[in-house]
Amino acid sequence: MFNNYEIHSKVLNKTRSLWAKNFLSFTKSQKIDRDFWDNLEEILYTSDLGSDLCNYLIERLEVISKEKKIHETNDLINVLKNEMVKIIDLPFDFSINSSNIPKVFLIVGINGVGKTTTIAKLANYFKNKGNKIILGAGDTFRAGAIEQLKIWGDKININVVSHQEGSDPAAVAYDTVNAAISRKLDIAIIDTAGRLHTKINLMEELKKIKRSICKLIDQKQLNVLLVLDSTIGQNGLAQTENFVSSLGCDGVLLTKLDGSSKGGIIFSVVKSFNTPIWFMGTGESLSDIVQFNPNYFVENLFSSNEN
Ligand SMILES: Nc1nc2c(ncn2[C@@H]2O[C@H](COP(=O)(O)OP(=O)(O)OP(=O)(O)O)[C@@H](O)[C@H]2O)c(=O)[nH]1
Ligand SMILES: [Mg+2]
């Protein structure tokens, strides 16, 4: 069994090899000169951070190095680490209180990013912490989606509320939350479609689901969680902006970090959406999920040991 730090380390193996190689070359040259700044700029630009963020970091470092009269690269790299942690260290709270009012996680995101799998992982994670959970099969659009969630539900022994394929997802969500309230459960997690018939607007459907949930519980009990595939790259972020602006997402669940070398995208995600990352998905099985830790993440990016 790995601890959280070790999982961050494993996840970042591929990303890190790129970063660490570059940054290690720095710490050997001890002077901060023009070459250093040019190198740093190049490394940041090739590290999948996106140009806005690179500019931001370079500017911050220039200001801080002057203010604090920093002359050694090691010290400046530490400042860089701090600045990077600050970017991704947004507060979030998924604590489950025992108020008899369930917490509701509405899971949204474009098709194929890993919503349904992540729901199963989250359900399993919270169940192992002793919480009572119910799932709602709110993707009534894609053929097989309801069955897919039911199979996960059977596997982890958690009930799934479902209607027929093609039925109204807002009604599924309502029934799921209603069941959670009447059975005094802790958490209801609701799946949604990533894509609908072109004539139906996905955001309007999702807003309708949100409204139907809020007929039963206070909005602060509801967390809209955006699932994002870490392999999408900078361009893919634009596709997701709509979810955040239309629905107001409370957290990001970042998937598929196992296969990618794109750990750098985490910074752009948090900065552009101003939304904290809650969990990282690191594979296809139930236990492949880890709570995100900004300090571990940055530390591992710069660490040279390859586990
Ligand atoms: N390697 C890896 N694969 C993942 C991860 N999360 C999900 N997947 C895979 O991604 C594929 C799509 O996952 P789903 O959970 O069906 O995605 P979805 O967003 O619900 O897809 P739609 O219902 O079609 O919108 C599946 O093959 C999953 O096993 C992950 O963290 N790592
Ligand atoms: Mg799905």
Side-chain angles (χ1 to χ4, degrees):
M1 210 46 191
F2 295 104
N3 65 30
N4 191 314
Y5 183 86
E6 287 163 343
I7 298 172
H8 276 74
S9 166
K10 272 168 74 76
V11 165
L12 287 170
N13 259 344
K14 287 189 185 160
T15 308
R16 178 182 39 214
S17 52
L18 171 78
W19 280 68
K21 198 171 82 228
N22 292 332
F23 279 105
L24 280 178
S25 66
F26 267 153
T27 39
K28 283 179 202 135
S29 75
Q30 291 291 315
K31 235 173 43 219
I32 298 174
D33 52 15
R34 198 59 252 165
D35 277 356
F36 167 86
W37 286 110
D38 288 347
N39 264 336
L40 181 64
E41 225 171 305
E42 198 183 319
I43 291 173
L44 290 177
Y45 276 98
T46 53
S47 301
D48 208 35
L49 288 171
S51 57
D52 288 353
L53 211 52
C54 289
N55 292 338
Y56 168 82
L57 282 169
I58 296 275
E59 276 168 28
R60 285 291 297 150
L61 287 187
E62 280 174 343
V63 169
I64 295 171
S65 67
K66 274 191 196 123
E67 259 173 29
K68 299 197 169 168
K69 300 192 173 37
I70 294 175
H71 300 296
E72 303 237 322
T73 53
N74 268 339
D75 297 335
L76 200 64
I77 297 294
N78 285 333
V79 174
L80 174 62
K81 285 187 198 169
N82 274 339
E83 290 302 308
M84 288 170 77
V85 170
K86 271 196 227 159
I87 292 171
I88 52 178
D89 196 8
L90 300 186
F92 66 90
D93 176 20
F94 57 75
S95 57
I96 311 298
N97 49 33
S98 48
S99 61
N100 277 347
I101 305 162
K103 193 101 174 170
V104 178
F105 297 150
L106 180 64
I107 309 298
V108 302
I110 55 179
N111 56 304
V113 287
K115 292 180 295 299
T116 308
T117 314
T118 305
I119 288 170
K121 292 177 186 178
L122 278 182
N124 189 52
Y125 176 93
F126 284 107
K127 188 182 178 211
N128 288 339
K129 291 200 172 299
N131 297 120
K132 294 194 222 73
I133 299 152
I134 195 163
L135 306 180
D139 181 356
T140 59
F141 173 69
R142 183 172 63 73
I146 297 170
E147 195 51 33
Q148 185 190 359
L149 193 68
K150 280 184 175 170
I151 291 169
W152 280 119
D154 287 345
K155 209 168 190 170
I156 41 185
N157 207 10
I158 288 178
N159 282 333
V160 177
V161 173
S162 64
H163 293 184
Q164 280 177 350
E165 199 179 305
S167 61
D168 180 3
V172 178
Y174 186 92
D175 284 355
T176 310
V177 177
N178 211 9
I181 294 168
S182 61
R183 297 179 207 173
K184 296 192 171 27
L185 306 179
D186 302 305
I187 307 169
I189 311 179
I190 296 164
D191 198 7
T192 61
R195 172 168 65 85
L196 295 174
H197 292 292
T198 43
K199 61 181 183 333
I200 302 175
N201 183 294
L202 178 60
M203 294 310 144
E204 291 311 314
E205 280 294 303
L206 292 171
K207 282 185 201 166
K208 192 173 146 203
I209 295 175
K210 222 179 136 176
R211 285 195 300 274
S212 92
I213 294 170
C214 290
K215 283 181 193 157
L216 293 166
I217 56 158
D218 194 295
Q219 178 144 355
K220 65 178 189 300
Q221 286 294 109
L222 169 66
N223 288 135
V224 179
L225 301 180
L226 174 71
V227 181
L228 204 61
D229 179 338
S230 61
T231 61
I232 57 168
Q234 295 291 336
N235 292 337
L237 289 182
Q239 276 180 284
T240 316
E241 240 159 54
N242 217 353
F243 287 90
V244 180
S245 56
S246 303
L247 301 165
C249 297
D250 299 290
V252 170
L253 309 168
L254 199 63
T255 59
K256 310 189 189 181
L257 273 149
D258 45 315
S260 87
S261 55
K262 302 286 188 184
I265 196 144
I266 283 189
F267 298 94
S268 327
V269 168
V270 178
K271 191 136 172 74
S272 49
F273 299 149
N274 195 26
T275 307
I277 290 171
W278 285 25
F279 286 92
M280 297 190 294
T282 61
E284 295 186 88
S285 54
L286 276 177
S287 57
D288 291 330
I289 188 161
V290 60
Q291 198 186 316
F292 181 67
N293 180 313
N295 284 299
Y296 291 176
F297 187 81
V298 170
E299 216 169 290
N300 268 299
L301 271 183
F302 288 85
S303 121
S304 61
N305 87 25
E306 303 248 337
N307 292 314

